[in-house]
Amino acid sequence: MSSLRRLSVLVVAIACASPSDNRQQVVDSAGVRVASYSASATPPSTWQLAADPLLQLGGDDDPATIFSAIRGVARLSDGGVAVAVGGSNEIRIYSRDGAFVRAVGRTGSGPGEFKRLTRLLRIGDTLVGVDGDSRAHVFDPAGVLVRSLRPARRAESRNPRRLGVGEAGSSYVLVIDGAPQAEAEGQVIMQTLTRSDAAGDSLLPIVTFPGYRTHPINGTPARLLLDGEAVTATAMGGVCVGYSDRFEISCYDPTGRITRRVSRDLARREVTEADRQIVRQAYLAANTDAPPPVRQQMERMVLALPFATTAPALSRMMLRDDGELWVSPFQVGVGLPGPAASLAPTAAQTWNVFAPDGRWIANVSLPPRFEPYEIGSDYVAGVQFDDDDVERVVVWRLVK
């Protein structure tokens, strides 16, 4: 049997608990761990963030800690942090007490250079910076460039995105199947999560699943904003995927063998006018430099943007190397263009935490205007925006 596992177009069949049953339902089925939770189910624990952060950088006049467009934060083995700064296309390294150590990378198209730094990955203290073209540059713990990886390609696919790193120097790359002209009204556009070799060449399929849907808008195929779409998370030992219009997640090992499924019977809310206004403002904020005539045209265009009627069930997932899975509720700003500060959640967000065997073990409340980039066994690292939209790097101690 092929290692490629294909999900059904919009739904994964998962045994569901009775709506009146508050127990966690975790069973084994054909070697797959299946965990399902009723609408009233709750986890046994609530984890918290300590009152004072382990480390905080930024918010001062030091040029080394003035950040613009942070794209990733990773805590290193010695307690220091690496920060991917999109505004300067560099990765900055800081000690555990917050002292600046070095910067690697710069703007450009050569070895160790980024056209548009979009993601920070790591293998231990080896850092991998990924740019908008899905090129990647690997730096050793001393900041020396080890190698550069060209964009990974797969026949009859497009828009490769390098999402994570795997064993033996491999990468997880997400591609859209088919050519752009194949999109039609009412079509489900499929995506395939693949694994490349260390050189970034050969792409082996792991799982194919729904990416997004097109809808007929005045006779033209279009995507509805705030509609369901693919949600992914990668770690050294595997990947998890879902489709955000429902809380159903499937996880696979690097060969494509499914290992667990997790679902919640979660009610979805209606898309509100406040949601739509956030989206409209995001598109305008992403084009503030447009000439006045173009700006006026855009202001008219955003009023005609098509929206889904029901909001997704979830927005983000984060996966640790040990298999622990964190899942966020729907956040209207995720994936939108424009300044990140204006899109950060304005209220506290409660994430669900699932053990490697699918058990729902805890909820974690993250503070308003905070976006996590990395989770550890006892910390959460990310970016915090203050009232003036200044970016700070914050590492919180996780209290279980």
Side-chain angles (χ1 to χ4, degrees):
M1 180 180 295
S2 169
S3 63
L4 175 62
R5 304 296 195 267
R6 180 176 292 271
L7 300 184
S8 61
V9 169
L10 291 177
V11 66
V12 177
I14 297 179
C16 296
S18 166
S20 61
D21 189 350
N22 193 45
R23 294 176 300 171
Q24 299 191 14
Q25 307 294 315
V26 183
V27 299
D28 287 315
S29 176
V32 179
R33 198 71 166 171
V34 179
S36 56
Y37 304 96
S38 68
S40 59
T42 55
S45 299
T46 299
W47 298 346
Q48 298 177 331
L49 303 184
D52 298 317
L54 292 168
L55 181 65
Q56 180 170 288
L57 302 170
D60 50 31
D61 295 328
D62 185 349
T65 54
I66 295 177
F67 302 110
S68 174
I70 293 174
R71 301 305 184 199
V73 179
R75 193 178 189 215
L76 305 174
S77 61
D78 62 0
V81 294
V83 184
V85 186
S88 55
N89 283 319
E90 64 183 353
I91 301 171
R92 300 182 195 170
I93 313 299
Y94 300 85
S95 68
R96 64 181 304 160
D97 60 2
F100 175 74
V101 177
R102 71 176 66 89
V104 299
R106 62 183 181 183
T107 301
S109 56
E113 298 178 338
F114 303 101
K115 291 183 178 179
R116 182 168 56 91
L117 181 58
T118 59
R119 191 180 300 270
L120 176 63
L121 311 174
R122 72 184 180 112
I123 309 169
D125 287 345
T126 295
L127 302 174
V128 183
V130 181
D131 73 9
D133 291 335
S134 200
R135 297 185 311 141
H137 304 290
V138 182
F139 300 91
D140 71 12
V144 177
L145 178 66
V146 177
R147 63 180 181 275
S148 296
L149 304 177
R150 57 182 173 272
R153 301 295 182 188
R154 181 169 177 257
E156 299 181 355
S157 68
R158 54 194 169 96
N159 296 0
R161 287 192 294 147
R162 198 181 304 269
L163 301 184
V165 290
E167 298 175 345
S170 63
S171 299
Y172 294 114
V173 179
L174 183 68
V175 298
I176 297 177
D177 294 328
Q181 59 268 24
E183 298 186 11
E185 295 179 2
Q187 185 179 12
V188 176
I189 306 302
M190 305 299 289
Q191 296 181 342
T192 298
L193 194 54
T194 67
R195 182 166 55 90
S196 75
D197 57 20
D201 295 327
S202 177
L203 293 184
L204 302 176
I206 298 175
V207 57
T208 295
F209 55 100
Y212 57 90
R213 293 174 288 202
T214 61
H215 300 262
I217 306 296
N218 297 325
T220 302
R223 291 181 62 177
L224 297 182
L225 296 172
L226 303 185
D227 194 19
E229 61 183 13
V231 182
T232 61
T234 68
M236 189 72 66
V239 300
C240 293
V241 303
Y243 196 75
S244 66
D245 70 344
R246 61 192 67 211
F247 198 115
E248 295 180 349
I249 299 164
S250 297
C251 298
Y252 302 80
D253 70 14
T255 70
R257 181 181 66 87
I258 187 168
T259 57
R260 59 177 156 156
R261 288 173 172 164
V262 178
S263 69
R264 283 187 61 196
D265 185 9
L266 189 65
R268 295 167 60 196
R269 67 171 179 82
E270 297 297 310
V271 171
T272 67
E273 178 56 28
D275 296 331
R276 292 188 283 267
Q277 189 60 20
I278 289 173
V279 175
R280 295 178 187 125
Q281 290 300 322
Y283 279 92
L284 293 175
N287 294 274
T288 54
D289 296 334
V294 176
R295 177 78 177 181
Q296 294 171 5
Q297 183 181 18
M298 290 189 61
E299 291 174 349
R300 293 190 297 269
M301 290 176 60
V302 297
L303 295 176
L305 291 173
F307 287 89
T309 57
T310 305
L314 54 94
S315 284
R316 291 186 60 197
M317 299 191 298
M318 301 178 69
L319 186 63
R320 288 184 53 198
D321 285 341
D322 67 359
E324 186 176 277
L325 175 67
W326 288 40
V327 184
S328 85
F330 168 64
Q331 300 174 19
V332 65
V334 171
L336 292 178
S342 63
L343 303 175
T346 56
Q349 299 287 305
T350 299
W351 289 59
N352 303 154
V353 183
F354 299 91
D357 63 0
R359 289 177 298 113
W360 185 7
I361 55 176
N363 280 344
V364 181
S365 180
L366 300 186
R369 309 209 75 198
F370 176 75
E371 285 289 352
Y373 277 106
E374 184 176 83
I375 50 176
S377 61
D378 59 356
Y379 71 88
V380 181
V383 58
Q384 182 80 55
F385 299 95
D386 67 14
D387 292 338
D388 295 320
D389 294 345
V390 174
E391 298 176 62
R392 289 181 170 89
V393 173
V394 183
V395 181
W396 296 99
R397 183 168 65 87
L398 186 60
V399 181
K400 300 182 180 180

